[in-house]
Amino acid sequence: MKKQILLIIFVTLTFFINAQILITAGKHQYDFFKSYEDYKADKAVDGIQVTICKGSNIEYTENGAKKKSKASKLPYSWFCNSEGMLMRVFDGDLYYVVVDGAVSFYIKVSEGTISKPDNADYIISGDVSNTWPNEYYSLTPNGTIEKLKDKILEEYLEKYNLTSQYENDPNYKRQAKDCVMCWANKKTNKKIKYTKLINEKIK
């Protein structure tokens, strides 16, 4: 019961924070793409746009006609949501593409939500069953999406001499004031930050 109350409080705070912190939509808000390469080249598909993205249920217009679809039945596997965040359909599931690079980082839509306020860490929340979303990764944005296990991340950190920096990062230490969900947010944001740093090293 206590966990459920904490979850309700956290979700309420998340909506409040989202209402108060400026979130600027990316330039490709609601656009579809035939491929990741088209997304990078700014080649949106003409005549089709997302109108509503609620979980894995998508509403969109195609050549003026309104349509509804599960993510698995969409005409294209890549699109941007209302914030302009890239979304990817893989094996019938919809994912937030949080980091795209040699090592890409994802959150599955059916397990949680994620948004990015300007000049702040990501705001993440789990689903209503009080389960924190798993973290996923792929090698390149087009690769097979799999669960990101701690051992895999540790190997990359070691390979690119980031282990000590990761373990001692002062921005992601747990504070006495941190609630359970706040601490979970910190841990996931830390993984996101270091996935980006790993990609910079790979370049």
Side-chain angles (χ1 to χ4, degrees):
M1 187 66 175
K2 185 177 179 181
K3 287 184 178 179
Q4 290 176 332
I5 293 170
L6 283 172
L7 177 64
I8 292 168
I9 292 170
F10 178 75
V11 171
T12 303
L13 279 172
T14 298
F15 281 116
F16 176 77
I17 290 169
N18 277 331
Q20 298 299 315
I21 298 177
L22 179 64
I23 297 177
T24 302
K27 62 181 177 180
H28 290 305
Q29 182 185 31
Y30 301 127
D31 286 340
F32 275 100
F33 302 90
K34 292 181 180 179
S35 65
Y36 172 75
E37 290 71 24
D38 279 357
Y39 165 74
K40 295 299 287 184
D42 297 328
K43 291 182 180 179
V45 180
D46 290 333
I48 182 171
Q49 278 204 318
V50 174
T51 53
I52 299 174
C53 178
K54 290 184 177 179
S56 295
N57 296 310
I58 315 299
E59 294 183 21
Y60 62 98
T61 58
E62 186 172 17
N63 298 319
K66 294 182 179 179
K67 299 184 179 183
K68 295 181 181 181
S69 175
K70 293 284 187 183
S72 58
K73 301 296 183 182
L74 287 172
Y76 305 102
S77 297
W78 303 88
F79 70 91
C80 288
N81 67 6
S82 59
E83 288 185 31
M85 182 180 289
L86 184 62
M87 313 291 288
R88 179 187 176 191
V89 180
F90 178 78
D91 276 356
D93 290 313
L94 183 60
Y95 295 83
Y96 295 94
V97 184
V98 187
V99 179
D100 57 315
V103 180
S104 295
F105 186 102
Y106 308 84
I107 295 291
K108 189 185 288 188
V109 168
S110 62
E111 296 179 354
T113 61
I114 183 166
S115 61
K116 180 67 169 72
D118 288 353
N119 303 314
D121 279 345
Y122 288 90
I123 297 173
I124 306 150
S125 61
D127 64 16
V128 292
S129 66
N130 198 31
T131 302
W132 191 254
N134 290 299
E135 294 128 358
Y136 296 84
Y137 84 106
S138 70
L139 299 181
T140 79
N142 291 309
T144 299
I145 297 177
E146 302 177 80
K147 283 185 180 179
L148 177 61
K149 297 178 181 178
D150 288 342
K151 182 180 178 181
I152 294 168
L153 181 60
E154 288 166 5
E155 288 174 354
Y156 275 101
L157 293 170
E158 181 69 26
K159 182 175 181 180
Y160 293 103
N161 300 312
L162 290 167
T163 302
S164 178
Q165 184 178 336
Y166 180 86
E167 292 175 349
N168 298 296
D169 193 325
N171 295 315
Y172 297 98
K173 295 291 185 183
R174 186 167 191 176
Q175 306 295 325
K177 64 181 180 180
D178 287 339
C179 64
V180 173
M181 296 301 181
C182 298
W183 175 228
N185 258 273
K186 275 189 176 181
K187 289 192 290 184
T188 298
N189 269 288
K190 185 177 181 180
K191 292 178 183 179
I192 292 168
K193 173 183 175 179
Y194 281 86
T195 301
K196 291 178 179 179
L197 289 175
I198 287 166
N199 285 329
E200 289 176 10
K201 295 277 189 177
I202 292 173
K203 290 177 184 177

